């Protein structure tokens, strides 16, 4: 298994290098100029040109690339062209907020999605099944900014249970939970919709297997049949979807971060893109790629836990 | 399947009990300390160094941190209402080339940076004039020398008389006075936690979240009543409004929409106002390119645009029809007769110019909704006169890049500037500011119709003659149809009535209401 992990990490290095190279050139193809963002729209062309020189943007792109790669190999991801703060410091400032939000949303999404999927499957073509399918379809269809605003209107404005600004700056545990509740629920609802549908379809397949019928015929209680025998055997597709969705969740949390005014990677990358902050975009891509690679690796490893038949070679 | 019902019931009961207990704790955690809480649109600050701060949300904060040698009367934006700030008095030689400022005695830098001296002022103005440290250095190129004969005196010598010199020394852009020791000690960090002499000091910055400012107890006009300002960056318009509605925000910068003003006005205990300086929204016609090099074509476009319809579209509470190429309220603005909406006349002029069968022109256009919708209205108005305006949609940074590469025949631009006619005329209509030149700023029209008047007004010592030159310049620019002025609008703000300002707020150079020692926040 150690060999498997090392091999995957080796692939990750190659992937990172390819992504970095791609991002480096793509962001420079985009029209727009960080120097103009810094200086504002009243700056003269000569002033903008002077700043471009100071930022090294007038150097041949190959020279810029060589500098960037050498810096990255030495652990230096550069400084943000707009804020002049180290890129890694900027990323690490907000990364914990994104991880916190994603982790809670993940747990909530699984806690809601798996039982709902099982419930729908065991009640196939009955009212609970229809209700679950319709609700999960709504969950899949509703954009995060719409569900976020609805949550705010109900729970922050009408009921006053939670704050509108969920900034993640509370210092107490309860304060933290209070700030996390709505954004995490917003992300979790969408994830739960995916998990529900996958669990339902996987469960339907497993419930029609011979060994389930045999277990029932032998008088094994229905609860044990469903939750112990059937559920465990339908977890592989569920884990796959959760793994895939986790990567999407981290990347797509931007709308939730904006609506609930939370700091996070999503907002950072949107800001960097709007400001054409090349160095920041490069650093962000490294982090995203790393997260996706690690999540995929973790997903593969979890296969072995949920199904002992899976072998790592 | 009895187990399912039992299991579900147990789960529901347990969840309800847990949720109820949790809410008890959570609601208790909601108490807040008294602080003025402000929210503005945007994701994050770029720089609070006053010589680099150009984004509105950065200028908003700078507004509360710094002083200038002089200032415009608080709550006003008329440069004729200048009064002492850090300088208690000043004199100038008859030729207006040497100015001497006497500083107040009791001006302290925030934090532990000690008393402000003339050396700090000299350092500040030199820093504002340097290309390496200031985005506004071009405004200060007439300053030949800045000296400190003693700790309380600053002497400025000019290369040539600058009648509007005092306007350059108000706390706006390069006129903000910084504390030298702080700049030298903090380095790059100065852009996050700048040190000035104003009523509030920046004490904390949370990326993508907020800037916290604390009252400067040593402020020379007296310690502010408000002890703390929490200045929040909130990109979502809906969330910002909901936070104001829920009482989490006391002062909010609004949307440029009448519906926003109407909605906020209906909230209890709320005041909504639109403050200056106004920004003017115009379309600039590229006179260097065919077919817009033909004045008849430009006149046709001007006659095809209905200002009244545009104002109706933007909303009459927020906007009004422009009546010159310089916004109302700016020193030197004069109303100028503009071409009236007349599609028949537009068609006649087009036919005369050889475009009887219609005209195709291209415009690079940002996808920012407020700007795009305006241009779509203009597009439909032009269509009615036989002009097909092709909108090439790009994101906002691309828009700014491409209009500065002369890729757009028609450029739609909205801007507010320091409220003196010279700023607008120089940046948008002086041929030296034409796109493509090293000195280019925002003369997208390549206009040169009033170069002589703009240049002469800059050094004209007699204010009445100066105003006359600006008036002539505006008329010439309108006659040459370098631009089609459309409408003007101010900055929409809403605040809870528990917040009271010490002055009538007509406007603010910092584009945010003045928060100082006179501002109060009731419990």
């Amino acid at each position: 298994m150690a060999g498997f992990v090392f091999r995957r990490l080796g692939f990750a290095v190659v992937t990172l290098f390819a992504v970095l190279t791609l991002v480096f050139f793509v962001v420079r193809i985009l029209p727009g100029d960080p120097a103009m963002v810094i200086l504002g729209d009243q700056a003269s062309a000569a002033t903008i040109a002077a700043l471009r020189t100071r930022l090294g943007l007038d150097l041949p792109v190959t020279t810029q690339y060589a500098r960037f790669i050498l810096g990255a190999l030495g652990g230096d991801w550069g400084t943000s062209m707009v804020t002049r703060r180290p890129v890694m410091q900027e990323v690490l400032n907000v990364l914990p907020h994104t991880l916190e939000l994603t982790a809670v949303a993940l747990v909530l999404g699984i806690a809601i999605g798996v039982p709902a999927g099982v419930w729908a499957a065991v009640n196939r073509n009955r009212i609970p099944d229809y209700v679950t399918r319709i609700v999960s379809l709504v969950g899949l269809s509703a954009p995060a900014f719409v569900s976020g605003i609805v949550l705010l209107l109900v729970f922050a404005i009408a009921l006053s249970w939670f704050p509108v600004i969920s900034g993640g700056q509370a210092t107490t545990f309860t304060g933290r939970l209070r700030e996390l509740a709505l954004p995490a629920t917003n992300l979790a609802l969408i994830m739960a919709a995916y998990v529900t549908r996958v669990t339902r379809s996987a469960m339907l397949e497993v419930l029609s297997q011979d060994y389930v019928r045999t277990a029932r015929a032998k008088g094994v209680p229905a609860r044990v049949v469903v939750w112990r025998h059937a559920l465990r055997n339908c977890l592989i597709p569920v884990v796959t979807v959760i793994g895939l969705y986790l990567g999407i969740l981290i990347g797509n949390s931007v709308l939730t971060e904006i609506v609930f005014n939370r700091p996070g990677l999503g907002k950072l990358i949107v800001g960097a893109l709007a400001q054409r902050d090349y160095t920041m975009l490069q650093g962000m891509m490294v982090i995203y790629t790393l997260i996706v690679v690690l999540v995929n690796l973790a997903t593969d490893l979890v296969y072995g836990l949920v199904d002992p038949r899976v072998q790592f070679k | 399947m009895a187990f399912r019902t039992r299991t579900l019931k147990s789960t529901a009961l347990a969840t309800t009990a847990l949720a109820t207990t949790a809410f008890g704790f959570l609601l208790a955690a909601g108490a807040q300390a008294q602080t003025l809480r402000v929210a503005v649109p945007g994701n994050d600050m770029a720089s609070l160094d006053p010589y680099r701060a150009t984004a509105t949300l950065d200028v908003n904060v700078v507004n509360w941190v710094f002083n200038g040698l002089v200032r415009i009367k608080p709550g006003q934006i008329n440069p004729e209402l200048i009064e002492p700030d850090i300088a208690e008095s000043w004199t100038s030689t008859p030729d207006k080339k040497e100015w001497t400022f006497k500083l107040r005695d009791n001006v302290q830098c925030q934090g532990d940076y000690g008393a402000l001296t003339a050396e700090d002022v000299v350092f500040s103005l030199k820093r504002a004039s340097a290309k390496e440290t200031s985005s506004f250095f071009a405004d200060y190129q007439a300053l030949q020398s800045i000296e400190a004969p003693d700790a309380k005196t600053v002497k400025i010598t000019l290369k040539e008389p600058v009648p509007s010199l005092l306007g350059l020394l108000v706390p706006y852009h390069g006129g903000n006075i910084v504390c030298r020791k702080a700049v030298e000690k903090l380095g790059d960090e100065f852009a996050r936690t700048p040190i000035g002499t104003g009523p509030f000091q920046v004490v904390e910055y949370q990326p993508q979240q907020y800037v916290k400012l604390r009252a400067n107890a040593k402020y020379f006009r007296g310690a502010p009543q408000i002890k703390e300002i929490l200045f929040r960056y909130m990109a979502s318009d809906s969330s910002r409004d909901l936070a104001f509605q829920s009482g989490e925000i006391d002062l909010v910068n609004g949307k440029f929409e009448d519906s926003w003003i109407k909605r906020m006005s209906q909230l209890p205990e709320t005041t909504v106002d639109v403050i200056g300086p106004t920004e003017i929204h115009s379309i600039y016609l590229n006179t260097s390119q065919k077919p817009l090099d033909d004045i008849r074509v430009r006149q046709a476009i001007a006659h095809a645009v209905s200002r009244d319809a545009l104002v109706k579209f933007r909303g009459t509470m927020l906007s009004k029809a422009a009546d010159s190429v310089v916004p109302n309220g700016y020193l030197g603005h004069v109303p100028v007769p503009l071409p009236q909406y007349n599609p028949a006349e537009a068609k006649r002029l087009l036919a005369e110019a050889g475009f009887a069968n219609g005209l195709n022109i291209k415009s690079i256009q940002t996808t920012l909704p407020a700007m795009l919708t305006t241009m779509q209205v203009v597009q439909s108005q032009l269509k009615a006169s036989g002009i097909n305006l092709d909108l090439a949609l790009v994101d906002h940074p691309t828009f700014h890049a491409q209009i500065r590469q002369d890729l757009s025949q028609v450029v739609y631009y909205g801007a507010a500037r320091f409220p003196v006619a010279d700023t607008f005329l120089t940046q948008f209509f002086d041929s030296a500011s034409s796109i493509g030149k090293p000195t280019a700023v925002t003369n997208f029209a390549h206009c040169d119709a009033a170069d002589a008047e703009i240049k002469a007004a800059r050094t004209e010592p007699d204010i009445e003659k100066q105003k006359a030159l600006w008036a002539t310049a505006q008329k010439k620019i309108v006659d040459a149809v370098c631009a089609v002025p459309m409408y003007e609008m101010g900055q929409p703000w809403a605040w809870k009535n528990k917040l009271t300002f010490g002055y009538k707020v007509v406007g603010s150079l910092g584009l945010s209401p003045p928060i100082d020692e006179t501002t109060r926040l009731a419990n």
Side-chain angles (χ1 to χ4, degrees):
Chain A
M1 182 164 150
F4 171 80
V5 172
F6 280 121
R7 231 177 7 260
R8 290 292 297 269
L9 288 175
F11 285 132
V13 172
V14 177
T15 309
L16 270 180
F17 182 77
V19 168
L20 274 182
T21 304
L22 194 67
V23 169
F24 180 89
F25 289 103
V26 166
V27 295
R28 279 163 177 78
I29 291 170
L30 291 174
D33 188 352
M36 220 209 100
V37 173
I38 296 166
L39 295 171
D41 67 344
Q42 298 184 53
S44 70
T47 316
I48 292 172
L51 184 60
R52 286 182 60 80
T53 304
R54 197 156 65 85
L55 293 173
L57 293 170
D58 60 338
L59 294 170
V61 76
T62 46
T63 310
Q64 292 181 50
Y65 178 68
R67 281 186 179 183
F68 166 61
I69 291 294
L70 287 174
L73 287 175
D76 175 14
W77 296 95
T79 52
S80 158
M81 287 183 172
V82 176
T83 66
R84 307 307 300 157
R85 289 187 288 265
V87 167
M88 273 305 132
Q89 186 191 320
E90 293 267 40
V91 171
L92 293 176
N93 272 340
V94 296
L95 185 62
H97 294 283
T98 296
L99 293 181
E100 178 186 61
L101 177 65
T102 312
V104 176
L106 180 73
V107 171
L108 271 177
I110 295 171
I112 298 168
V114 170
V118 171
W119 192 47
V122 295
N123 288 290
R124 185 182 189 183
N125 293 336
R126 284 193 290 235
I127 287 176
D129 186 26
Y130 295 136
V131 169
T132 310
R133 282 158 70 185
I134 290 169
V135 169
S136 64
L137 192 64
V138 171
L140 287 176
S141 316
F145 62 89
V146 173
S147 52
I149 295 295
V150 170
L151 285 174
L152 284 177
L153 282 170
V154 175
F155 294 103
I157 301 295
L159 298 172
S160 301
W161 285 355
F162 299 102
V164 173
I165 302 170
S166 305
Q169 259 72 50
T171 48
T172 61
F173 178 69
T174 49
R176 200 92 177 164
L177 269 184
R178 193 167 180 260
E179 289 191 340
L180 200 54
L182 291 185
T185 304
N186 192 43
L187 270 189
L189 286 176
I190 302 166
M191 178 164 187
Y194 277 98
V195 174
T196 300
R197 295 182 82 83
V198 172
T199 306
R200 178 185 172 275
S201 79
M203 197 71 184
L204 283 177
E205 196 179 324
V206 171
L207 285 175
S208 64
Q209 298 288 314
D210 289 345
Y211 70 87
V212 172
R213 196 184 313 122
T214 306
R216 280 180 174 152
K218 285 170 71 180
V220 178
R223 181 178 52 190
V224 176
V225 170
V226 171
W227 295 100
R228 189 178 298 167
H229 296 281
L231 179 61
R232 191 157 183 196
N233 280 293
C234 78
L235 280 182
I236 291 276
V238 175
V239 167
T240 305
V241 165
I242 291 170
L244 280 175
Y245 197 73
L246 184 58
I248 298 171
L249 205 61
I250 291 171
N252 281 8
S253 56
V254 59
L255 291 174
T256 299
E257 288 167 2
I258 288 173
V259 169
F260 294 95
N261 202 45
R262 284 182 64 84
L265 287 181
K267 272 169 82 174
L268 197 62
I269 200 164
V270 167
L273 198 58
Q275 295 171 322
R276 299 293 191 261
D277 191 341
Y278 299 153
T279 43
M280 181 63 79
L281 282 171
Q282 288 156 194
M284 299 287 303
M285 284 303 135
V286 174
I287 295 294
Y288 273 116
T289 310
L290 209 55
I291 288 173
V292 170
V293 167
L294 290 178
V295 165
N296 282 345
L297 179 60
T299 307
D300 287 349
L301 294 177
V302 170
Y303 288 160
L305 293 177
V306 299
D307 188 345
R309 291 168 298 183
V310 174
Q311 299 286 315
F312 298 106
K313 290 181 180 173
Chain B
M1 289 294 167
F3 79 92
R4 284 203 306 267
T5 311
R6 262 201 318 274
T7 307
L8 286 171
K9 274 183 182 168
S10 314
T11 309
L13 283 172
T15 308
T16 310
L18 190 66
T20 310
T21 314
F23 286 152
F25 282 112
L26 301 178
L27 290 171
Q32 295 246 2
Q34 187 192 327
T35 298
L36 174 64
R37 297 155 304 174
V38 186
V40 296
N43 265 336
D44 208 348
M45 72 144 86
S47 173
L48 295 182
D49 183 331
Y51 309 145
R52 288 290 188 213
T54 52
T56 300
L57 49 78
D58 290 342
V59 176
N60 289 162
V61 175
V62 166
N63 188 25
W64 303 324
V65 176
F66 294 93
N67 294 101
L69 278 175
V70 295
R71 68 175 184 175
I72 293 177
K73 203 173 165 189
Q76 302 291 327
I77 50 168
N78 183 348
E80 289 181 305
L81 301 175
I82 280 180
E83 63 179 30
D85 200 9
I86 287 175
E88 60 184 7
S89 63
W90 57 90
T91 57
S92 60
T93 54
D95 65 358
K96 301 284 182 189
K97 286 180 74 174
E98 282 185 19
W99 292 71
T100 305
F101 295 84
K102 291 300 267 186
L103 307 189
R104 291 173 192 265
D105 281 332
N106 57 343
V107 182
Q108 296 287 320
C109 291
Q110 295 155 356
D112 299 322
Y113 291 98
L116 183 101
T117 67
E119 284 298 341
D120 290 299
V121 178
V122 171
F123 173 80
S124 298
L125 292 177
K126 285 186 175 171
R127 194 166 178 266
S129 316
K131 192 181 340 188
E132 298 74 25
T133 49
S134 171
S135 297
F136 316 107
F137 76 96
D139 298 338
Y140 295 84
Q141 293 317 292
L143 276 59
Q144 187 174 55
S145 68
I146 311 152
E147 297 160 279
D150 61 58
K152 293 292 166 199
T153 308
V154 175
K155 187 177 162 192
I156 297 174
T157 307
L158 303 173
K159 293 173 190 163
E160 56 188 9
V162 179
S164 55
L165 175 74
L166 292 179
L168 292 173
L169 303 176
V170 300
Y172 177 72
H173 289 172
N176 288 293
I177 301 300
V178 300
C179 294
R180 178 178 187 163
K181 282 182 195 161
V183 174
E184 291 174 347
K185 184 180 173 190
L186 295 172
D188 281 348
E189 191 54 35
F190 187 79
R192 264 88 70 192
T193 50
I195 297 291
T197 55
F200 289 92
Q201 178 188 356
V202 176
V203 291
E204 186 187 345
Y205 163 60
Q206 286 292 337
Q208 302 181 1
Q209 284 291 288
Y210 61 78
V211 167
K212 191 181 281 180
L213 300 101
R214 192 162 296 147
N216 175 12
K218 296 181 287 187
Y219 184 47
F220 62 83
R221 289 194 174 89
Q225 309 276 324
I226 291 171
K227 297 304 168 203
E228 197 173 77
I229 301 175
L230 195 62
F231 185 87
R232 283 193 176 278
Y233 305 106
M234 295 183 71
S236 163
D237 294 334
S238 307
S239 311
R240 213 167 48 247
D241 293 351
L242 290 176
F244 184 80
Q245 192 179 337
S246 72
E248 290 170 58
I249 294 296
D250 306 307
L251 173 64
V252 65
N253 190 194
K255 286 177 77 174
F256 287 91
E257 288 176 6
D258 255 25
S259 59
W260 182 86
I261 294 177
K262 282 179 194 156
R263 197 170 60 248
M264 299 308 266
S265 302
Q266 287 165 0
L267 295 177
E269 295 295 308
T270 298
T271 300
V272 183
D273 205 354
V274 181
I275 67 171
T278 49
E279 53 184 54
I280 189 166
H281 291 244
S282 303
I283 52 175
Y284 297 87
L285 307 177
N286 194 332
T287 61
S288 72
Q289 293 183 10
K290 286 189 180 304
L292 297 178
D293 57 344
D294 186 334
I295 191 167
R296 292 168 299 183
V297 174
R298 302 200 297 273
Q299 285 168 337
I301 292 172
H303 282 298
V305 172
S306 167
R307 269 177 291 282
D308 291 340
L310 281 162
V311 168
K312 204 171 168 188
F313 174 71
R314 297 305 318 174
T316 51
M317 297 169 89
L318 185 65
S319 61
K320 64 175 188 174
D323 59 8
S324 175
V325 289
V326 172
N328 266 282
Y330 284 46
L331 181 65
H333 159 270
V334 288
V336 178
L338 300 176
Q340 293 303 302
Y341 178 59
N342 186 344
E345 176 65 4
K347 284 178 183 168
R348 189 193 68 76
L349 284 161
L350 281 181
E352 197 179 306
F355 297 99
N357 296 324
L359 170 73
N360 289 313
I361 45 177
K362 184 186 166 189
S363 175
I364 305 282
Q365 184 52 41
T366 172
T367 50
L368 278 188
M371 292 181 73
L372 177 57
T373 50
T374 294
M375 256 329 233
Q376 285 168 334
V377 173
V378 170
Q379 186 184 41
S380 67
Q381 291 181 351
L382 294 179
K383 188 89 179 167
S385 296
I387 302 165
N388 179 41
L389 179 65
D390 178 20
L391 297 179
L393 301 187
V394 294
D395 72 336
H396 203 57
T398 305
F399 164 75
H400 274 290
Q402 294 192 338
I403 59 175
R404 284 168 174 78
Q405 293 163 2
D406 240 359
L407 296 176
S408 191
Q409 290 177 303
V410 175
V411 174
Y412 165 40
Y413 213 84
R417 294 286 183 262
F418 186 74
V420 175
D422 175 60
T423 322
F424 249 97
L425 295 173
T426 297
Q427 293 186 7
F428 287 88
F429 302 106
D430 185 341
S431 63
S433 303
S434 294
I435 297 305
K437 293 187 175 178
T439 48
V441 189
T442 42
N443 186 351
F444 304 110
H446 295 261
C447 188
D448 59 3
D451 279 6
E453 287 79 8
I454 296 170
K455 189 163 185 267
R458 249 179 244 143
T459 52
E460 173 54 57
D462 183 322
I463 182 69
E464 293 309 319
K465 287 182 184 167
Q466 191 178 41
K467 284 181 181 175
L469 286 165
W470 285 331
T472 308
Q474 288 166 74
K475 185 168 184 320
K476 282 189 168 183
I477 291 163
V478 167
D479 288 346
V481 203
C482 294
V484 181
M486 298 189 293
Y487 57 89
E488 303 175 358
M489 54 170 66
Q491 312 291 323
W493 286 85
W495 57 85
K496 301 285 182 191
N497 287 346
K498 64 181 180 178
L499 176 66
T500 50
F501 300 104
Y503 323 94
K504 178 174 167 48
V505 183
V506 173
S508 163
L509 292 182
L511 308 174
S512 56
I515 311 289
D516 60 16
E517 78 286 358
T518 64
T519 316
R520 283 169 174 71
L521 185 66
N523 284 323

